[in-house]
Amino acid sequence: MDKRRHGIQAIWALLTNSYLLGFAQGKIYKGKLKNLCVPGLNCYSCPGALGACPIGAMQAVIGSWNFKLTFYVAGFLMFVGALIGRFVCGWLCPFGLIQDLLHKIPFSKKITSFRGDRILRKLKYLILIVFVILLPMFLVDILGQGAPYFCKLICPAGTLEGGIPLVLLNQSLRSALGWLYVWKNVLLMITVVLSIVVYRPFCKYLCPLGAVYSVFNPISVFRYRVDQEKCVKCKACAHVCKMQVDPVKNPNDPECIRCGACKKVCPVKAIR
């Protein structure tokens, strides 16, 4: 299941970042496709990105008087969430793939859970409310546009996919580097190291896009169901889940990324 899932993740990442001229010139694609959002967290500033990140787009328009754009982004997030929930996180997000691969690196002791883990997972909702909604909505410029505070101050995916490639490919940007670029790279390094030890730390604790989709997990069209008559309560599904979800108790837990590991391991095929 993991190989198939990672293959789909990789293909999707290549399709949505296939503007090869951007990598050759060190520039960002600004064609018509950039007006469309992609489902996962894929940085707008990545030289190869053909579409816009929905979280970046939301920050850009939420404080604007252009309600059409605001409703478009909000509607897109609600549509994707209502359709497939956090399936996006497990199968379509490029940064999710990177974390998956980092976690495969051997380490003496992987951390599956710790005291305060569940409370810390609420942090992504706070980040969504403060950095994606409130700050861009109320701290606006003369044109009524807010700054992308999450992208600017936190997002390690943006640093990896956009910041570092642009600096490496575009010499003119190097003279403008400052403390913010250093700070973002420190956050990226911490995320990379943690991803080796902890499964998907960014998804669990920081990602505002995952926070949005998690709200729709229990009601999305594509969701898991457990046949309680077939279930033998062996707990195999709970033990195999790297997001620490117990499908028998709640098959559509907000933390579930629909990776399919529980379905694969179930001895009686009670999860569907």
Side-chain angles (χ1 to χ4, degrees), residues 26-140:
K27 296 180 179 179
I28 301 171
Y29 169 74
K30 294 183 179 179
K32 291 184 178 180
L33 287 175
K34 220 46 179 287
N35 294 323
L36 303 176
C37 291
V38 293
L41 197 77
N42 194 72
C43 186
Y44 180 99
S45 297
C46 174
L50 292 175
C53 170
I55 290 298
M58 177 59 74
Q59 293 168 92
V61 302
I62 198 167
S64 171
W65 287 102
N66 192 336
F67 295 115
K68 287 184 179 180
L69 285 175
T70 306
F71 289 145
Y72 157 69
V73 179
F76 174 83
L77 287 169
M78 289 190 292
F79 172 77
V80 174
L83 187 65
I84 55 179
R86 289 196 75 177
F87 177 89
V88 173
C89 307
W91 292 79
L92 299 178
C93 182
F95 200 61
L97 171 61
I98 292 168
Q99 290 175 90
D100 279 346
L101 297 179
L102 285 170
H103 195 68
K104 290 184 179 295
I105 296 175
F107 191 77
S108 58
K109 186 174 176 59
K110 302 282 187 179
I111 300 174
T112 55
S113 187
F114 54 89
R115 186 179 299 222
D117 171 71
R118 286 291 165 180
I119 294 176
L120 196 57
R121 294 193 193 208
K122 306 296 182 187
L123 181 59
K124 58 180 173 283
Y125 299 101
L126 182 63
I127 289 174
L128 170 66
I129 294 169
V130 175
F131 288 91
V132 178
I133 298 176
L134 294 182
L135 289 180
M137 182 180 290
F138 293 107
L139 297 183
V140 297

Side-chain angles (χ1 to χ4, degrees), residues 5-6 41 52 62 79 125 139 145 190 226 233 249 266:
R5 184 166 65 90
H6 294 337
L41 197 77
I62 198 167
F79 172 77
Y125 299 101
L139 297 183
Q145 293 181 323
I190 292 172
V226 177
K233 306 295 188 294
K249 290 182 179 178
C266 181

Side-chain angles (χ1 to χ4, degrees), residues 14 33 52-53 61 66 70 81 88 99 124-125 150 159 167 177 182 186 195 204 217-218 240 244 250 261 267:
L14 290 173
L33 287 175
C53 170
V61 302
N66 192 336
T70 306
V88 173
Q99 290 175 90
K124 58 180 173 283
Y125 299 101
F150 172 74
T159 306
V167 168
L177 298 181
V182 175
V186 169
S195 296
K204 287 179 179 177
N217 249 12
V240 79
Q244 288 76 56
N250 186 0

Side-chain angles (χ1 to χ4, degrees), residues 233-255:
K233 306 295 188 294
C234 65
K235 295 288 185 179
C237 55
H239 291 150
V240 79
C241 181
K242 294 179 180 177
M243 296 297 285
Q244 288 76 56
V245 170
D246 186 344
V248 176
K249 290 182 179 178
N250 186 0
N252 298 292
D253 188 285
E255 295 298 318

Side-chain angles (χ1 to χ4, degrees), residues 143-186:
L143 298 176
Q145 293 181 323
Y149 290 97
F150 172 74
C151 302
K152 183 178 179 180
L153 300 174
I154 299 175
C155 187
T159 306
L160 181 64
E161 298 169 9
I164 292 176
L166 285 176
V167 168
L168 291 176
L169 296 169
N170 198 324
Q171 189 174 358
S172 62
L173 292 176
R174 296 171 198 166
S175 59
L177 298 181
W179 68 270
L180 190 57
Y181 184 75
V182 175
W183 164 250
K184 290 293 296 296
N185 274 274
V186 169

